[in-house]
Amino acid sequence: MNEFDEKWMFRALKLAAQGRGDVEPNPMVGCVLVSPDGQFLGEGWHQKYGQPHAEINALLDAEKRGNSVAGATAYVTLEPCCHYGKTPPCAKALCDAKIARVVCAMRDPFPKVAGGGFRFLEEAGILTEVGLLEKEARILNAPYLKLVTAQRPWVIGKWAMTLDGKIATRTGSSRWISSEESRNFVHETRARVDAILVGVGTVLTDDPMLNARPNSGMICRQALRIVADARLEVPLESKLVQTAHEIPVLLAIGADVPEEKTIAYRKSGCEIFRFSQDSTSLSSRSMQMAELLDELGRRRLTNLLVEGGSSVLGALLDIQAVDEVNVFIAPKLCGGREAFTPISGMGLERMENAFRLTETRTQILGGDILFTGLVLPLDPNARYGELSSNYRSA
């Protein structure tokens, strides 16, 4: 693998990551333009959904710098698009700019692209190579890849717990386990996701707003707030219902809830999604979560942050639907046989079958340990697709 090429692709990946939270349901993409003699010419990334893609922004950046890109190499983190959508095709723009070579991290599985961008470039006589830092590119855009291939959002399980694994005391008291710094991190995460899910028990206990309130005070988008509430027990006076006209609320309810019971919630601005069944058994809860994920996929929501409670997280883990975890571990001890733990559900019978994590990281936030990682599915290729080990021609 060429270290020179790798250097610029790493730069393109860092650029791409700057679009997180603003480009969904589109992928994060970065592009760097380099002259035949190795000089930097321009760069760009996809900054906001519906706006110019990375390649277009890189070409514009080079133009502003007064640099000619004829004969240059374009390092792009995802296959250039070849169709007209909200923006013109990037593959054509690269051809029109007389780019000589395109080095790409990975193929785009989106049906309207799916190799078509590479074919367009090759037919125009542009040397096209794909596979450089593909694993890194796939991990960066794992939520997009899951939405395109599985038609479901990327599920992030989040919880704060004491060192002995409790998320609340035996009486349900939980404020505050984590530090202010940890809570600020959560607000920043909320500002980057499309939806936030909790169970009705969390609403009854904490009456949360589930909105994003970043410490920086910046204006940010607000995610769809979802409550799994089979019996429709969310109080009408709750903060969620009272603010539904300002920030969307979706109540996922059981099939047997009378329609007349939903009227007041609808008038308050809440949207209703009905599960196909009403049972609250462990197996049916998992089926309900599967139905909800399918619905969110139809809405093209890319990232779902699950903030509890334990039954919701347990039901999702039971169907292997949790993709990532953000766990805040506070230097506190709670104790108590009846104190609450993060994940319930059916669980596993044998420890050797426990879900394993990869890409794990830890950091200190106000004395708490934030542990993050990706939950490995039974088949790792089921999430990221087959990872190429060689830098190859398209």
Side-chain angles (χ1 to χ4, degrees):
M1 184 178 290
N2 188 308
E3 291 184 1
F4 179 82
D5 289 332
E6 189 174 281
K7 165 192 169 183
W8 293 114
M9 187 60 77
F10 266 122
R11 174 61 183 167
L13 286 166
K14 289 184 68 175
L15 289 168
Q18 294 185 56
R20 181 178 283 111
D22 294 315
V23 303
E24 290 81 1
N26 281 354
M28 293 174 278
V29 184
C31 177
V32 179
L33 303 175
V34 180
S35 69
D37 62 351
Q39 300 301 308
F40 169 81
L41 298 175
E43 64 185 18
W45 69 95
H46 185 28
Q47 298 180 13
K48 196 172 185 64
Y49 178 71
Q51 293 185 5
H53 290 181
E55 299 91 329
I56 306 301
N57 284 331
L59 292 171
L60 290 172
D61 183 53
E63 182 180 348
K64 290 177 182 178
R65 295 172 186 268
N67 295 329
S68 170
V69 299
T73 293
Y75 295 89
V76 190
T77 59
L78 186 68
E79 177 182 1
C81 63
C82 54
H83 65 288
Y84 285 88
K86 288 186 176 293
T87 60
C90 294
K92 184 178 185 303
L94 293 174
C95 292
D96 292 344
K98 296 181 170 51
I99 296 295
R101 175 178 177 237
V102 172
V103 179
C104 192
M106 62 171 291
R107 179 178 183 268
D108 188 348
F110 185 62
K112 290 184 178 180
V113 183
F118 293 141
R119 288 192 297 273
F120 188 100
L121 295 171
E122 290 178 331
E123 289 171 0
I126 297 176
L127 177 62
T128 306
E129 296 166 285
V130 60
L132 178 62
L133 301 184
E134 182 171 357
K135 179 179 179 180
E136 290 81 355
R138 287 185 176 276
I139 291 174
L140 174 68
N141 269 318
Y144 166 77
L145 297 176
K146 184 180 180 184
L147 182 63
V148 170
T149 59
Q151 290 77 54
R152 284 183 175 179
W154 182 260
V155 177
I156 306 167
K158 167 262 169 184
W159 63 87
M161 68 182 186
T162 59
L163 194 58
D164 55 340
K166 309 299 184 181
I167 62 170
T169 69
R170 59 184 174 80
T171 63
S173 173
S174 62
R175 291 189 176 182
W176 292 103
I177 292 176
S178 58
S179 66
E180 183 178 356
E181 290 84 349
S182 293
R183 298 196 296 276
N184 287 336
F185 183 95
V186 172
H187 283 293
E188 292 173 2
T189 303
R190 287 177 178 177
R192 293 194 297 265
V193 299
D194 302 306
I196 301 167
L197 171 65
V198 297
V200 64
T202 298
V203 178
L204 294 174
T205 302
D206 297 334
D207 192 20
M209 272 284 289
L210 301 181
N211 61 336
R213 304 184 296 278
N215 194 40
S216 62
M218 68 179 183
I219 298 175
C220 62
R221 67 171 185 163
Q222 297 291 346
L224 171 67
R225 301 171 296 174
I226 308 171
V227 183
D229 187 6
R231 297 190 180 93
L232 192 51
E233 298 174 305
V234 172
L236 286 168
E237 62 273 15
S238 67
K239 293 176 183 176
L240 287 173
V241 176
Q242 291 298 308
T243 59
H245 282 299
E246 303 164 20
I247 306 174
V249 172
L250 177 67
L251 303 178
I253 66 174
D256 295 341
V257 175
E259 182 60 30
E260 56 268 23
K261 189 176 180 180
T262 70
I263 294 174
Y265 293 93
R266 295 182 192 273
K267 287 182 178 179
S268 296
C270 298
E271 185 180 359
I272 302 295
F273 170 74
R274 284 187 180 273
F275 296 122
S276 64
Q277 55 185 316
D278 194 61
S279 173
T280 56
S281 67
L282 292 179
S283 60
S284 66
R285 283 176 184 165
S286 293
M287 292 178 63
Q288 288 174 344
M289 289 300 101
E291 287 182 9
L292 180 58
L293 293 179
D294 288 340
E295 172 63 19
L296 299 182
R298 283 189 287 270
R299 297 177 182 221
R300 298 192 69 203
L301 300 188
T302 307
N303 295 280
L304 172 67
L305 179 64
V306 184
E307 297 203 22
S310 61
S311 62
V312 171
L313 282 164
L316 288 165
L317 193 64
D318 285 341
I319 59 172
Q320 301 182 41
V322 178
D323 301 295
E324 178 182 344
V325 294
N326 292 348
V327 183
F328 301 86
I329 306 170
K332 300 175 181 179
L333 298 173
C334 178
R337 180 182 299 177
E338 297 179 358
F340 295 82
T341 54
I343 302 175
S344 57
M346 297 179 66
L348 300 170
E349 293 183 356
R350 302 187 62 84
M351 186 56 70
E352 62 259 34
N353 297 327
F355 292 93
R356 298 183 182 274
L357 302 181
T358 186
E359 304 298 323
T360 57
R361 295 182 182 181
T362 58
Q363 66 183 95
I364 303 299
L365 292 173
D368 299 337
I369 298 175
L370 169 59
F371 180 95
T372 62
L374 306 183
V375 184
L376 280 173
L378 296 179
D379 176 8
N381 286 334
R383 172 167 300 152
Y384 305 117
E386 184 178 355
L387 299 178
S388 66
S389 58
N390 297 312
Y391 183 39
R392 64 187 189 280
S393 169

